[in-house]
Amino acid sequence: MSSSFLRTLGLMSGTSVDGVDVALVETDGERIAAFGPSLTVPYPDHVRRTIRAAFGAELPNAATAVAETAVTDAHVAAVKQWSAQHGIALGSIDVVGFHGQTITHRPEKRFTWQIGDGCALARAVGVRAVCDMRSADVAAGGQGAPLVPVFHAALVRELDRPLAVVNIGGVANVTWIGEDDSLLAFDTGPGNAPIDDWCVRRAGRLFDRDGSLAASGKVDRTRLERWSEHRYFARTPPKSLDRGDFTDAWTDGLSAADGAATLTRATARAIALAARHFPQAPNQWIVTGGGARNPTLLAAIAQETGKPVVLASSLGWDGDALEAQAFAFLAVRSLRGLPFTFPTTTGAPKPLCGGRLHLPS
């Protein structure tokens, strides 16, 4: 292997607040030499509650301090568990890409906040760490999201284009990749977050496993059509969302099953509406993220888009690890000073690099 390739560990905790994803990638920030083992470590319920209590904060307070410590400790524990489980010494890792946990994302205020102490993590695992990968873009007037399109482009080099890669986490985002490798990326709308919140409030469960609750309900078409007129969908990208920009409140009054069905269809509708902004219609939609494990949602996306829906896993991608892999890739780009946000992905004024490097000592 070329000495330009680094063994990089990527860490991701998304807005669904499921847990910490850890993934190994060997990359030079442009090419991917190999993917290594990955691991997902769920957050304990008390950690989820601690993180959620900090959502929306714009200034440090007691809740954000407790949440940051919890997030950092959970990531350190996940890295050490990954190392022990796979028998890979942390001393063999060149760099860690640490996304942190988004608690507030307000690019219109030039503000985004991913909690997690990169310095403490680097010291605890003994490996240099790159963190704070969104702030530079937001400070320059970009949306700060999505960050993974340049990684998606590296993954699809051998596939027929144009195509769209949809990542469905708490918020859903899409990367459109043209035949000439041109990129367009933006948040499509809600992902799993409103469905999860509805399940917590109305069904006494953390999420809709396999989309079973939604499958048992009926979509309220009148509410859905009214919701589809939200001004966000007509806005020209690049554009991005905070987890709380789309809530489950508009389905209040429905049964637990009908609300889940309507919210699930809404996520699919928002993804389909994204296509109005593409330069060309995609040949296929590749779906990854937590939403890829929801067959009811996948069926709704296929119906709403009228195009084939392809699971990332069917292409040999590890859908559960994909975002963690992306942040490993971005960490190396940061070290090399390569851009990972662009005018057509975040609305940045020019291609920008980002991230802050923390040394273990």
Side-chain angles (χ1 to χ4, degrees):
M1 185 193 309
S2 167
S3 60
S4 64
F5 286 92
L6 300 181
R7 286 166 60 85
T8 310
L9 209 56
L11 310 178
M12 180 62 189
S13 174
T15 51
S16 292
V17 201
D18 299 323
V20 180
D21 296 325
V22 186
L24 178 65
V25 180
E26 295 178 3
T27 179
D28 63 357
E30 296 179 274
R31 299 159 294 167
I32 300 164
F35 291 113
S38 62
L39 177 70
T40 296
V41 181
Y43 283 132
D45 287 346
H46 74 275
V47 172
R48 285 195 185 97
R49 289 192 296 270
T50 298
I51 294 169
R52 287 176 185 272
F55 279 170
E58 296 186 12
L59 292 171
N61 57 42
T64 63
V66 172
E68 180 158 75
T69 298
V71 165
T72 305
D73 290 348
H75 280 72
V76 169
V79 169
K80 291 181 177 179
Q81 184 176 332
W82 174 89
S83 173
Q85 186 167 315
H86 295 292
I88 299 175
L90 291 176
S92 71
I93 303 300
D94 295 303
V95 64
V96 173
F98 178 27
H99 173 265
Q101 174 70 56
T102 299
I103 58 169
T104 308
H105 184 66
R106 291 294 178 203
E108 72 279 5
K109 297 181 177 180
R110 299 203 175 193
F111 181 80
T112 188
W113 193 358
Q114 288 72 47
I115 57 173
D117 187 335
C119 184
L121 181 132
R123 287 199 304 266
V125 303
V127 182
R128 58 183 173 166
V130 175
C131 68
D132 195 20
M133 298 194 207
R134 299 186 190 272
S135 293
D137 183 85
V138 171
Q143 292 289 306
L147 296 188
V148 296
V150 69
F151 177 66
H152 289 156
L155 288 174
V156 305
R157 283 179 174 167
E158 307 303 319
L159 300 180
D160 289 334
R161 288 156 282 171
L163 57 77
V165 181
V166 183
N167 175 59
I168 308 175
V171 172
N173 60 67
V174 66
T175 302
W176 178 91
I177 305 168
E179 295 172 284
D180 60 354
D181 291 332
S182 55
L183 293 175
L184 177 66
F186 53 95
D187 288 346
T188 61
N192 302 315
I195 305 168
D196 293 347
D197 292 347
W198 178 263
C199 287
V200 169
R201 285 203 304 129
R202 296 296 308 278
R205 59 180 84 172
L206 292 175
F207 62 95
D208 188 8
R209 185 180 299 275
D210 298 325
S212 59
L213 183 61
S216 69
K218 182 179 179 181
V219 175
D220 187 317
R221 293 285 173 180
T222 301
R223 294 191 193 214
L224 177 64
E225 296 308 321
R226 189 182 310 126
W227 179 88
S228 300
E229 296 172 1
H230 194 289
R231 64 183 180 276
Y232 179 79
F233 304 126
R235 265 179 53 195
T236 301
K239 53 186 178 178
S240 67
L241 292 164
D242 184 73
R243 184 191 189 280
D245 286 339
F246 283 93
T247 72
D248 61 345
W250 62 282
T251 51
D252 279 345
L254 298 179
S255 69
D258 289 354
T262 304
L263 290 164
T264 299
R265 193 71 180 209
T267 290
R269 173 67 59 85
I271 290 167
L273 288 173
R276 69 172 70 173
H277 299 295
F278 297 164
Q280 287 179 278
N283 296 324
Q284 61 183 343
W285 295 76
I286 301 170
V287 180
T288 185
R293 294 192 293 270
N294 183 332
T296 305
L297 177 56
L298 294 174
I301 295 169
Q303 291 165 3
E304 290 284 341
T305 62
K307 292 284 186 177
V309 171
V310 178
L311 289 177
S313 57
S314 72
L315 300 173
W317 303 0
D318 185 342
D320 291 337
L322 202 66
E323 282 204 295
Q325 292 169 346
F327 283 96
F329 183 82
L330 295 179
V332 177
R333 289 186 73 87
S334 179
L335 289 179
R336 294 187 58 197
L338 296 174
F340 49 77
T341 62
F342 305 87
T344 57
T345 62
T346 65
K350 61 182 180 179
L352 294 172
C353 189
R356 275 191 293 163
L357 177 64
H358 295 279
L359 301 178
S361 59

